[in-house]
Amino acid sequence: MRNLLLIYLFNRVLTVKPSEEIETFKDLQVIIDHFNQYPLVTAKKLDYDLFKKSFNIIKHNQHLTEQGISKIIELKSSLNKGLSENLKESFTGFVSGDGSFNIKATKVRTGKIQLRFAVNLHIREQEVIKGLAKFFNFKDNSYIYSTDTSVAIQIVNTSDVLNIIIPFFDKYKIKGAKELDFTDFKKAAEIVKHKGHLTEDGLNQILVIKDNMNLKRK
Ligand SMILES: *[C@@H]1O[C@H](CO)[C@@H](O)[C@H](O)[C@H]1NC(C)=O
């Protein structure tokens, strides 16, 4: 019984299919030890922490008490309802670290401006990136780029940047230094949205923003 519950939780948490390989409590302990040694980052971590709490309750036989049971039920329900919310919050978390907002002026004279949002992660976070693409309703992994060691989501499509990415970060605030880059990026995007980049004045404003963000920020 305790194994079944944990295996169920584990499936929810890591969305792997471990049922064949993970059959005993001992196997789960091995997994916990593994992740203690090599901590998960990003979205999975929150879910994993919930899983680990449940594991510890059961390990110490506290699930046999009423208090332990209600604790597990509480953890399980926060897993169920919280997944997408967790994902959104973790996403802003790793954007704060590994995301970038860039403005590219490819052909300055013609006012060709590209707004680019990207997040680069280790290949082991592939599922997180895919989950996000799905969450944003981007079709068929169209914005996902992988190499042997890394995976990235990169969005340059102006209408997706304006209608999806910016509203998302208006709602789920980026923390730390990158917040300033987002603010600048958004100012430039506002100009693009109203076709200001096609005027000399608007284009110059964008170039000033571009020259004072990211690494060029003073
Ligand atoms: C940009 O995204 C919009 C909406 O998702 C889509 O209709 C359009 O075809 C895309 N443009 C390009 C150049 O891919």
Side-chain angles (χ1 to χ4, degrees):
M1 166 57 201
R2 70 179 195 176
N3 291 350
L4 280 182
L5 177 59
L6 277 171
I7 288 165
Y8 168 78
L9 285 173
F10 189 81
N11 275 317
R12 287 279 312 154
V13 170
L14 295 176
T15 40
V16 290
K17 35 176 187 5
S19 320
E20 313 92 58
E21 300 121 57
I22 297 161
E23 283 177 343
T24 68
F25 204 70
K26 219 173 106 204
D27 293 336
L28 288 166
Q29 181 68 64
V30 170
I31 287 163
I32 300 260
D33 291 345
H34 173 84
F35 287 126
N36 280 342
Q37 199 175 349
Y38 304 99
L40 286 160
V41 283
T42 72
K44 290 287 178 216
K45 184 168 182 342
L46 274 168
D47 300 333
Y48 169 73
D49 287 344
L50 293 175
F51 167 73
K52 192 168 135 186
K53 278 188 194 140
S54 311
F55 177 85
N56 282 328
I57 289 171
I58 294 174
K59 184 177 174 184
H60 298 108
N61 278 331
Q62 282 160 1
H63 63 298
L64 302 175
T65 68
E66 202 169 313
Q67 206 191 358
I69 284 284
S70 39
K71 187 78 199 145
I72 289 181
I73 290 169
E74 194 186 302
L75 288 169
K76 181 171 166 297
S77 72
S78 75
L79 255 181
N80 283 335
K81 81 164 153 29
L83 269 184
S84 64
E85 208 53 34
N86 284 349
L87 186 66
K88 286 177 231 168
E89 277 166 21
S90 326
F91 186 45
T92 60
F94 63 66
V95 166
S96 305
D98 300 309
S100 61
F101 297 95
N102 279 295
I103 300 167
K104 276 185 86 176
T106 37
K107 291 180 189 136
V108 174
R109 291 240 158 72
T110 59
K112 184 143 175 49
I113 293 293
Q114 187 183 71
L115 300 166
R116 184 176 61 191
F117 166 69
V119 189
N120 274 285
L121 295 177
H122 191 275
I123 190 73
R124 73 173 170 228
E125 302 294 350
Q126 184 159 233
E127 290 310 313
V128 176
I129 292 283
K130 281 186 184 162
L132 286 164
K134 209 162 152 192
F135 167 78
F136 284 126
N137 269 325
F138 295 142
K139 58 173 181 295
D140 305 333
N141 297 339
S142 48
Y143 295 141
I144 299 180
Y145 305 87
S146 350
T147 68
D148 287 349
T149 54
S150 70
V151 57
I153 185 165
Q154 177 174 303
I155 295 125
V156 296
N157 177 317
T158 305
S159 101
D160 285 345
V161 167
L162 291 175
N163 299 320
I164 298 176
I165 298 301
I166 290 184
F168 179 87
F169 290 113
D170 273 340
K171 189 157 174 217
Y172 298 92
K173 303 270 183 249
I174 292 167
K175 296 178 185 80
K178 214 149 277 172
E179 188 189 352
L180 297 173
D181 295 327
F182 174 65
T183 306
D184 285 343
F185 184 78
K186 193 175 145 183
K187 277 185 208 151
E190 274 300 310
I191 297 172
V192 171
K193 185 175 175 178
H194 298 104
K195 307 239 181 287
H197 61 300
L198 303 176
T199 69
E200 198 182 329
D201 187 34
L203 183 59
N204 284 335
Q205 284 177 44
I206 292 175
L207 294 177
V208 170
I209 294 170
K210 173 178 158 55
D211 280 339
N212 289 287
M213 67 186 286
N214 293 328
L215 296 175
K216 292 179 192 152
R217 186 180 302 286
K218 286 178 195 100

